[in-house]
Amino acid sequence: MRKFIEKLVEGGLLLSGSVTSLTILLIIFFLFKEATGLFNSPSVEEGYVLAVNQENPVRHLSPEKIMDIFDSEITNWNEVGGIDEEILLVRLSDLTNYFSEEELGDEFQFIPEKISELVGREPGIIAFFPHQYLADNFDGAIISGDKITLWDFFEGTKWYPTSTPSPIFGLIPLLLGTLLVSVGAIALSLPFGLAVAIYMAEIANMRVRNLLKPVIELLAGIPSVVYGFFGLVVIVPLIQKVLNLPVGETAFAGSVVLAIMALPTIITVAEDSMRTTPRAMKEASLALGATQWQTIYKVVIPYSISGITSAAVLGIGRAIGETMAVLMVTGNAAVIPTSFFEPVRTIPATIAAELGEAPAGGAHYQALFLLGAVLFLITLLLSIYVEFMSSKRKM
């Protein structure tokens, strides 16, 4: 009977582990399946057409160039490899400037023919109109058939997911914002966390250690939104006032908040690593005439360096994946940052802020899933590195 119960428990544990592993794999599969759908989406807004005159050799425009044309930053076709002709931008609502209401029809039934006539007549035209008004014998060239490419996403320097007529999904500003905030957080938290870990592991007496340990662990249990609110109310105004900045919501503010959030992880892991240093090694160092600080610097830290590295990497992982606190204090500006004292936007904050408004199955929706896939790959690489350092430490 006892063996039967043991087998039953063993089977239950195996089933539980298998179901959990399968669920994780299915989640990863769903994430990448939705993400790769972005590269099947047209670069021009779905359901619309972007057309030029037949004499114009331009047949491909990147999303960024389309946006520059519609923002009048590019005004001549020779700037994008076309003819030497001023760009004439025409939307559906502009047709009344070229044709009377009678010519368009009382029920607008002649719009397809008139659009075709206008595009064939104007050499510098670029027309943007719904696909339903595309005539069968259209007298122009359509440049809206290109798909969003891998390079458009990974080399893109702008993030304008709702731009018309061509949404822009550029990873670089979001990735740089994420890395800037995360690196800043580790630069602030690692020295302080390492100092506290050394104090708790080698200097503090048992009474002080037993007092500090639960307090530090309590910090790890505080919800991130509380840290974000504290940063928004206290840290952001303080940074703005002390540094005399136009706004306090900057990458530096995000780094400070994330540094506070990463401290419990760094302190706990680093302290546990230092406490595993063999007592014989420390006593041998002291017996040779080294001071306590020399022993810490020459023996304890080198022996536990892999654990300290793991603490730093885990702290980076916490910083990279944080959402609410960063969303509240970094300003949410999806631009390439040039310093710590500018507003930025991170990948997790972008997903949290935009996923609820993105149409399910659309390009914007799929781009957010692709951001999630990028974030997953970053954290996966960090986890692999932590495992590598841990195994190296055991050896």
Side-chain angles (χ1 to χ4, degrees):
M1 184 66 181
R2 182 178 178 181
K3 290 184 177 180
F4 174 75
I5 294 176
E6 290 178 352
K7 289 291 183 181
L8 187 64
V9 172
E10 182 181 346
L13 294 176
L14 178 62
L15 179 63
S16 176
S18 301
V19 170
T20 302
S21 301
L22 180 62
T23 302
I24 294 174
L25 290 175
L26 288 175
I27 290 174
I28 296 173
F29 173 76
F30 173 75
L31 174 66
F32 280 91
K33 178 178 176 295
E34 292 293 328
T36 53
L38 176 66
F39 305 119
N40 293 322
S41 302
S43 57
V44 175
E45 188 176 349
E46 192 171 357
Y48 288 83
V49 172
L50 203 61
V52 296
N53 188 277
Q54 289 281 8
E55 298 178 2
N56 194 335
V58 175
R59 294 295 181 268
H60 170 76
L61 288 172
S62 66
E64 293 188 9
K65 288 182 179 179
I66 293 175
M67 188 182 73
D68 289 342
I69 288 174
F70 277 72
D71 289 343
S72 299
E73 295 183 11
I74 296 178
T75 58
N76 195 297
W77 283 110
N78 59 17
E79 298 179 49
V80 291
I83 58 178
D84 185 13
E85 189 77 31
E86 290 291 324
I87 295 177
L88 175 62
L89 178 60
V90 176
R91 296 180 175 87
L92 185 65
S93 58
D94 298 326
L95 288 180
T96 53
N97 297 331
Y98 301 92
F99 304 101
S100 64
E101 294 183 3
E102 291 77 12
E103 290 176 306
L104 295 176
D106 53 354
E107 296 182 356
F108 305 108
Q109 66 270 27
F110 301 130
I111 284 182
E113 290 78 8
K114 295 304 178 183
I115 292 177
S116 177
E117 177 186 335
L118 183 62
V119 171
R121 187 177 68 203
E122 297 289 344
I125 193 171
I126 180 168
F128 176 62
F129 56 92
H131 191 275
Q132 67 188 69
Y133 294 121
L134 181 64
D136 294 334
N137 54 347
F138 184 68
D139 189 17
I142 299 173
I143 60 173
S144 58
D146 297 313
K147 305 292 185 180
I148 296 175
T149 66
L150 193 69
W151 302 117
D152 288 337
F153 180 79
F154 285 98
E155 291 187 343
T157 58
K158 298 178 181 178
W159 179 266
Y160 294 107
T162 57
S163 175
T164 302
S166 182
I168 298 177
F169 306 105
L171 174 66
I172 290 179
L174 306 181
L175 181 62
L176 291 180
T178 302
L179 295 178
L180 185 65
V181 172
S182 302
V183 171
I186 293 303
L188 293 173
S189 62
L190 187 58
F192 185 71
L194 185 60
V196 175
I198 292 173
Y199 174 76
M200 291 180 60
E202 300 296 328
I203 300 174
N205 56 44
M206 185 63 68
R207 182 178 178 182
V208 175
R209 185 182 298 119
N210 291 337
L211 177 64
L212 288 178
K213 191 77 172 179
V215 172
I216 292 172
E217 292 175 351
L218 180 64
L219 289 175
I222 297 176
S224 61
V225 69
V226 176
Y227 283 106
F229 185 73
F230 171 77
L232 186 64
V233 174
V234 178
I235 295 177
V236 166
L238 182 63
I239 290 175
Q240 182 178 5
K241 182 178 180 180
V242 173
L243 300 178
N244 194 25
L245 299 174
V247 292
E249 291 89 350
T250 59
F252 182 67
S255 295
V256 172
V257 173
L258 288 183
I260 298 173
M261 297 178 66
L263 277 175
T265 301
I266 295 175
I267 293 172
T268 301
V269 176
E271 187 217 354
D272 291 342
S273 177
M274 291 178 186
R275 289 177 66 83
T276 60
T277 305
R279 186 174 180 179
M281 293 179 62
K282 293 187 286 187
E283 290 179 347
S285 174
L286 295 172
L288 290 172
T291 65
Q292 183 180 16
W293 287 106
Q294 288 174 327
T295 301
I296 293 172
Y297 176 70
K298 295 289 187 179
V299 176
V300 176
I301 292 180
Y303 180 84
S304 56
I305 190 65
S306 60
I308 294 172
T309 304
S310 298
V313 174
L314 289 173
I316 293 174
R318 174 71 187 272
I320 288 177
E322 183 52 48
T323 302
M324 288 308 301
V326 177
L327 183 64
M328 297 172 70
V329 301
T330 54
N332 292 313
V335 295
I336 295 179
T338 57
S339 73
F340 271 105
F341 306 107
E342 294 179 358
V344 297
R345 175 180 282 191
T346 64
I347 291 176
T350 301
I351 296 173
E354 298 181 5
L355 188 59
E357 300 177 358
H364 187 190
Y365 178 85
Q366 293 164 341
L368 294 177
F369 270 89
L370 189 54
L371 289 180
V374 171
L375 195 63
F376 166 76
L377 292 175
I378 293 174
T379 53
L380 177 63
L381 292 175
L382 287 175
S383 299
I384 293 174
Y385 183 73
V386 170
E387 290 296 327
F388 172 75
M389 295 302 300
S390 298
S391 61
K392 184 178 179 181
R393 175 187 172 187
K394 293 177 183 178
M395 294 172 61

